[in-house]
Amino acid sequence: MSRILIVEDEEAIAELERDYLELSGFEVYIERDGNKALQRGLSEPFDMYILDIMLPGVDGFELCKQFRNKTNTPILLVSARKEDIDKIRGLGLGADDYITKPFSPSELVARVKAHLARYDRLIGSMPSKKDIFTIRNLTIDNASHKVWLNGSERNLTIKEYELLDFLVNHPNQVFSKEELFREVWDETSVGDIQTVPVHIKKVREKIEVDASRPQFIETVWGVGYRFRL
Ligand code: CA
């Protein structure tokens, strides 16, 4: 099921959008504040973003730019002012589409469906789509960043996936917390190396049958962690 993030501070509009999209079978999440939306949109996987422009905190233009830096996920901007449209066209923000208020909810649903279908075709045509790696009961798809354990999909955050991806690509090598922090997190990351064991724990909870007896990500006492092939 496609996950959609709606960022909209007007509750009635957000709920109307959500109701119509849910009726069409989408899984919908709402954020009303730009700062919270930025944090959530960058840390959780979404299949589409619907961004209002005027928001408390970070505005929709900035959200669009930040999300586009990180992902090709379709972005639909929602504008209340005609002046915004020139800006959307001129700024090169990387938005896929825009819609102006007031709009009919069925128009919104039609646009969302069209963009998701186009994006699916784009992803499907990429050669890396076939880059599926299976080891024992764990399957990882490099293209979609999806992970399955015993055939059931596990939802990893972007960071959790990046950590798993790094370890999988360096199998049987032991890495210290410091090394993993340096490799997987960049200088601009908030937090410190203690975020590494926290993320290891979360990844284990998602990819291990029994997180207390891991078969994939082993702890090498006093040294660090390794992904066991
Ligand atoms: Ca607004």
Side-chain angles (χ1 to χ4, degrees):
M1 195 189 285
S2 294
R3 290 164 51 94
I4 299 178
L5 179 64
I6 292 175
V7 187
E8 171 62 73
D9 56 329
E10 286 171 70
E11 205 166 326
I13 294 178
E15 283 170 4
L16 184 70
E17 291 177 2
R18 183 191 58 202
D19 291 350
Y20 271 80
L21 290 165
E22 281 183 350
L23 278 174
S24 299
F26 298 111
E27 204 174 308
V28 181
Y29 300 86
I30 296 173
E31 287 295 341
R32 297 187 169 80
D33 173 89
N35 293 312
K36 282 189 192 154
L38 181 61
Q39 204 176 24
R40 185 169 192 186
L42 291 177
S43 60
E44 284 181 37
F46 290 100
D47 300 295
M48 178 132 190
Y49 300 104
I50 299 174
L51 311 176
D52 183 35
I53 290 174
M54 300 289 283
L55 292 165
V58 178
D59 71 10
F61 291 128
E62 184 61 25
L63 286 177
C64 180
K65 213 162 72 184
Q66 299 267 352
F67 292 160
R68 184 53 79 234
N69 280 340
K70 186 92 183 171
T71 166
N72 290 316
T73 299
I75 299 173
L76 175 67
L77 287 175
V78 179
S79 150
R81 303 182 310 168
K82 286 207 171 63
E83 309 89 90
D84 286 335
I85 295 166
D86 292 334
K87 213 172 161 187
I88 293 168
R89 285 183 183 138
L91 280 177
L93 296 164
D96 295 86
D97 200 359
Y98 60 86
I99 194 166
T100 49
K101 292 177 184 174
F103 52 83
S104 80
S106 49
E107 169 70 13
L108 177 80
V109 170
R111 301 264 194 114
V112 167
K113 283 183 175 169
H115 285 288
L116 284 171
R118 195 179 55 83
Y119 187 62
D120 277 351
R121 284 197 301 276
L122 181 77
I123 293 290
S125 67
M126 286 160 64
S128 57
K129 174 73 180 168
K130 292 172 190 69
D131 217 349
I132 292 181
F133 172 92
T134 297
I135 167 169
R136 301 192 284 279
N137 49 356
L138 183 70
T139 300
I140 299 170
D141 182 347
N142 279 322
S144 66
H145 292 190
K146 285 182 177 172
V147 176
W148 295 265
L149 179 67
N150 289 324
S152 104
E153 192 181 337
R154 319 303 288 177
N155 282 314
L156 273 65
T157 64
I158 291 172
K159 259 310 163 237
E160 288 165 6
Y161 181 83
E162 286 173 355
L163 176 62
L164 176 62
D165 187 55
F166 177 80
L167 287 167
V168 165
N169 282 296
H170 302 83
N172 299 331
Q173 288 181 47
V174 182
F175 294 96
S176 66
K177 280 186 289 194
E178 290 79 4
E179 285 168 326
L180 288 173
F181 187 71
R182 202 163 52 233
E183 292 290 342
V184 180
W185 280 260
D186 56 47
E187 303 79 23
T188 58
S189 296
V190 280
D192 56 38
I193 60 162
Q194 288 316 317
T195 197
V196 176
V198 172
H199 278 76
I200 292 274
K201 183 168 177 285
K202 285 184 187 157
V203 173
R204 277 180 177 154
E205 282 164 4
K206 293 176 182 180
I207 68 159
E208 301 282 1
V209 173
D210 178 356
S212 62
R213 294 171 55 221
Q215 55 160 336
F216 295 108
I217 302 179
E218 289 182 340
T219 298
V220 182
W221 293 109
V223 190
Y225 306 93
R226 74 171 160 202
F227 188 89
R228 234 194 74 214
L229 269 193

